[in-house]
């Protein structure tokens, strides 16, 4: 229950910000957040993941909305994207996420933390230069770092700074002072930080009116005066463009990007889970697809598993998906029943919550731990962090994957075959499985075997030797009798590959 309230408070401005950055109606972001909680949360088997409108899709959604004749036709694209995700689930495409190295996953988490801190600083001092939900490096006003320098030279809002600093001070204090026993252990620190913001702004209005935070720096939920007006905020999709190639291309693009982002987030949240539970990725694709179908039918934006909300969920102490579903319910009830109350919340107070969440994802200790694990872990980690910060989530992860795979290949190029010789007794041992990249190394070691010797080829440490290397061994065995070399092949693999190795050759035995 406490975690769900925290996530709802964090999700509220992000839903509105993503909608604004995507060029969509503000309420469409809230619809996506509600669907992400109630529908995706209900279908998903992830205990901690929280879904909603994704910052990583803002550019794609903006371009798609601008290129299509109407917003209802865009909603049909969202529905079709969800249907394609159901197809991906049936094809068991979720297994691809298991091939992402842990160094890339932790790099992604650290970069999201850094981006959260940097992007929320303007909101913390009352100088917003872009939409709350925008996490792109470049924007119409510059980029992440140029915007940072611009607002540091401008006059800030003292009221916003006071509220954000007070919220941050409480959150960091509460993180260490929170009791382990008693009813206070259920008190969510972020909720208190938000209340500090609301009450603090009211006090500023009473005693220092010039410092009071204006409405432009508060949450701005659409307010409906009647149930009928609230119902008009929802939209229905228009499937008249279903025969258009542009609609299907847009649907496929959103489906692929949303699926990738969801799989990355799910993988990362499984890493953050204190209980180390593992989510069924193929089932998650089905849940995300179902969520996008419902969101599109109601007038909402595409949904994905979102690392920011999910991290806040973990940090708030959630233990099951009940938190995810309840957060969707709180969003629905609050925007329907108490939008005026929500519009009292300063963005500076929510910025404090997100800065504290971001710091937990990118602590200096995380960088030190990766450094101590060696360059093969540290370099892909750092490259992923830098790449995501200067591009976006998907491009940065792809760059990190390329660097990670380079190190994997480099490790496999390191000595996989050892050679030793004492007198006429020689040994060639495979230290691990032999693939085509080990052909040169194997051939080189075989060439070192002197004439009139006894050679043991030890394959006992392998479970697989590809055909190229088997043929090299074959060729050596055929020539061995001409060099008076007695060859013995040891290992279980010898029996499995014996039909390929010319066993009848004189002097060859399998041990």
């Amino acid at each position: 229950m406490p975690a769900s309230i925290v996530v709802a408070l964090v999700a509220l401005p992000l839903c509105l910000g993503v909608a604004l950055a995507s060029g969509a109606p503000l309420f469409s972001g809230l619809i996506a957040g509600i669907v992400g909680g109630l529908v995706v949360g209900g279908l998903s088997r992830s205990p901690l993941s929280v879904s909603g409108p994704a910052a990583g899709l803002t550019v794609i959604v903006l371009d798609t909305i601008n290129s299509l004749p109407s917003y209802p036709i865009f909603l049909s694209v969202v529905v079709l994207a969800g249907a394609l995700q159901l197809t991906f689930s049936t094809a068991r495409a979720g297994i691809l996420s298991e091939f992402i190295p842990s160094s890339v996953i932790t790099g992604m988490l650290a970069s999201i933390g850094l981006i959260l801190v940097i992007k929320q600083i303007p909101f913390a001092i009352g100088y917003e230069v872009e939409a709350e939900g925008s996490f792109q490096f470049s924007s119409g006003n510059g980029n992440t770092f140029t915007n940072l320098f611009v607002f540091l030279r401008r006059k800030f809002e003292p009221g916003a700074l006071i509220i954000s600093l007070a919220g941050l001070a409480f959150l960091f204090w509460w993180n260490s002072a929170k009791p382990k026993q008693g009813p206070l252990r259920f008190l969510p620190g972020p909720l208190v930080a938000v209340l500090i913001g609301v009450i603090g702004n009211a006090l500023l209005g009473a005693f220092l009116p010039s410092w009071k935070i204006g409405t432009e720096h508060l949450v701005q939920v659409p307010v409906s005066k009647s149930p009928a007006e609230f119902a008009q905020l929802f939209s229905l999709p228009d499937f008249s463009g279903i025969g258009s190639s542009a609609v299907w291309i847009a649907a496929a693009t959103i489906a692929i990007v949303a699926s990738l982002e969801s799989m990355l987030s799910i993988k990362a949240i499984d890493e953050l889970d204190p209980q180390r539970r593992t989510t069924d990725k193929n089932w998650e694709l089905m849940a995300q697809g179902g969520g996008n179908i419902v969101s599109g039918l109601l007038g909402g934006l595409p949904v994905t598993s979102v690392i920011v909300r999910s991290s806040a969920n973990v940090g708030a102490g959630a233990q099951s998906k009940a938190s995810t579903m309840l957060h969707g319910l709180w969003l629905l009830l609050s925007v329907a029943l108490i939008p005026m109350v929500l519009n009292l919340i300063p963005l500076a107070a929510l910025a404090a919550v997100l800065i504290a969440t971001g710091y937990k994802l990118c602590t200096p200790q995380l960088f030190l731990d990766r450094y101590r694990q060696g360059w093969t872990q540290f370099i892909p980690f750092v490259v992923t962090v830098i790449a995501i910060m200067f591009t976006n989530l998907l491009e940065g992860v792809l760059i990190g994957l390329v660097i990670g795979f380079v190190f994997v290949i480099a490790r496999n190029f390191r000595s996989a075959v050892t050679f030793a010789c004492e007198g006429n007794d020689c040994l060639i041992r495979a230290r691990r499985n032999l693939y085509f990249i080990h052909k040169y190394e194997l051939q080189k070691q075989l060439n070192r075997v002197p004439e009139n010797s006894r050679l043991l080829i030890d394959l006992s440490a392998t479970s697989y030797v590809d055909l190229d290397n088997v043929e090299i061994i074959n060729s050596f065995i055929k020539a061995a009798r001409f060099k008076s070399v007695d060859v013995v092949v040891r290992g279980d693999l010898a029996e499995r590959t014996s039909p390929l190795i010319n066993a009848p050759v004189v002097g060859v035995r399998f041990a």
Side-chain angles (χ1 to χ4, degrees):
M1 180 74 74
S4 68
I5 296 172
V6 172
V7 178
L9 290 171
V10 168
L12 182 67
L14 292 179
C15 290
L16 296 169
V18 169
L20 181 62
S22 301
L26 288 182
F27 197 71
S28 65
L30 294 171
I31 293 172
I34 294 167
V35 169
L38 295 176
V39 178
V40 180
L43 293 174
S44 174
R45 290 178 178 173
S46 173
L48 299 175
S49 171
V50 181
S51 295
L57 287 173
T58 53
V59 175
I60 295 173
V61 170
L62 178 63
D63 291 342
T64 303
I65 291 175
N66 290 335
S67 64
L68 295 175
S70 66
Y71 184 72
I73 290 180
F74 166 75
L75 295 178
S76 71
V77 168
V78 178
V79 175
L80 292 174
L84 288 174
Q85 286 182 295
L86 297 182
T87 305
F88 298 161
S89 174
T90 304
R92 305 188 64 78
I95 196 174
L96 296 175
S97 64
E98 301 298 339
F99 295 95
I100 302 174
S102 62
S103 58
V104 175
I105 293 296
T106 53
M108 180 183 77
L109 288 170
S111 65
I112 292 295
L114 288 170
I115 291 171
L116 267 179
V117 172
I118 294 172
K119 291 283 189 180
Q120 292 304 313
I121 290 176
F123 292 91
I125 66 172
Y127 178 70
E128 297 97 55
V129 292
E130 55 189 339
E132 173 81 39
S134 175
F135 290 89
Q136 294 289 327
F137 177 70
S138 298
S139 65
N141 300 314
N143 61 52
T144 300
F145 296 110
T146 58
N147 289 339
L148 195 63
F149 290 122
V150 166
F151 74 71
L152 286 175
R153 293 197 302 266
R154 290 175 178 258
K155 181 181 178 181
F156 55 84
E157 294 285 338
L161 181 61
I162 291 171
I163 284 174
S164 60
L165 289 178
L168 277 171
F170 172 81
L171 288 170
F172 282 105
W173 172 78
W174 186 247
N175 189 46
S176 58
K178 185 177 180 180
K180 304 296 182 183
Q181 303 292 331
L184 281 179
R185 73 182 188 274
F186 297 113
L187 180 66
L191 177 58
V192 177
V194 170
L195 291 176
I196 289 173
V198 174
I199 297 172
N201 197 39
L203 292 175
L204 288 174
F207 298 102
L208 285 172
S210 61
W211 284 17
K212 183 180 180 182
I213 300 175
T215 55
E216 69 275 13
H217 301 305
L218 304 177
V219 170
Q220 297 182 18
V221 176
V223 179
S224 303
K225 298 179 181 179
S226 66
E229 190 174 334
F230 179 74
Q232 291 177 358
L233 295 173
F234 295 86
S235 304
L236 295 175
D238 178 2
F239 290 97
S240 62
I242 198 169
S244 168
S245 60
V247 167
W248 283 99
I249 291 173
T253 302
I254 290 175
I256 292 171
V257 175
S259 298
L260 288 172
E261 187 162 340
S262 292
M263 293 302 96
L264 290 170
S265 296
I266 289 292
K267 186 75 174 174
I269 293 304
D270 284 350
E271 292 281 335
L272 292 178
D273 184 2
Q275 301 181 38
R276 289 296 186 268
R277 289 164 287 188
T278 302
T279 302
D280 185 334
K281 309 303 188 300
N282 295 307
W283 188 277
E284 186 64 26
L285 281 175
M286 181 276 294
Q288 297 293 334
N292 275 318
I293 290 173
V294 174
S295 184
L297 290 174
L298 294 177
L301 293 174
V303 299
T304 73
S305 174
V306 185
I307 192 67
V308 175
R309 271 159 270 194
S310 302
S311 301
N313 195 33
V314 175
Q319 296 185 10
S320 75
K321 69 177 187 177
S323 172
T324 300
M325 298 182 67
L326 283 173
H327 116 275
L329 179 62
W330 304 146
L331 284 177
L332 175 61
L333 293 177
S334 58
V335 300
L337 303 177
I338 54 169
M340 296 297 294
V341 175
L342 296 178
N343 289 343
L344 297 175
I345 300 175
L347 292 176
L350 294 172
V353 174
L354 289 171
I355 289 173
T357 300
Y359 176 77
K360 290 178 182 178
L361 293 175
C362 61
T363 59
Q365 186 62 43
L366 177 64
F367 288 81
L368 288 174
D369 289 343
R370 281 293 165 181
Y371 176 75
R372 290 171 182 147
Q373 291 171 356
W375 294 112
T376 58
Q377 293 293 316
F378 185 67
I379 292 179
F381 166 77
V382 171
V383 168
T384 303
V385 171
I386 295 173
I388 292 177
M389 290 192 67
F390 282 88
T391 56
N392 56 54
L393 181 66
L394 290 177
E395 290 181 19
V397 168
L398 288 175
I399 293 171
L401 281 175
V402 170
I403 300 300
F405 287 140
V406 166
F407 277 94
V408 169
I409 294 173
R411 284 198 300 270
N412 278 285
F413 267 116
R414 283 189 294 181
S415 177
V417 182
T418 59
F419 175 83
C421 219
E422 183 176 346
N424 291 329
D425 295 319
C426 298
L427 169 67
I428 289 181
R429 174 178 290 143
R431 300 168 62 184
R432 54 181 177 272
N433 292 344
L434 298 180
Y435 301 98
F436 73 96
I437 60 175
H438 301 118
K439 287 170 57 179
Y440 172 76
E441 186 180 5
L442 177 61
Q443 185 68 66
K444 178 182 177 181
Q445 303 300 352
L446 286 170
N447 290 339
R448 296 175 64 184
V449 178
E451 296 183 1
N452 303 309
S453 61
R454 292 180 294 273
L455 173 65
L456 171 61
I457 301 177
D458 186 0
L459 304 175
S460 57
T462 66
S463 60
Y464 174 78
V465 177
D466 74 357
L467 186 58
D468 288 346
N469 288 292
V470 170
E471 289 179 348
I472 289 174
I473 296 173
N474 256 333
S475 299
F476 180 84
I477 291 173
K478 288 179 181 179
R481 57 179 174 173
F482 299 106
K483 298 180 180 181
S484 300
V485 177
D486 182 14
V487 181
V488 176
V489 180
R490 173 185 292 171
D492 295 338
L493 189 70
E495 296 181 4
R496 276 178 267 159
T497 59
S498 59
L500 298 174
I501 297 178
N502 294 279
V505 175
V506 175
V508 178
R509 300 191 308 277
F510 294 97

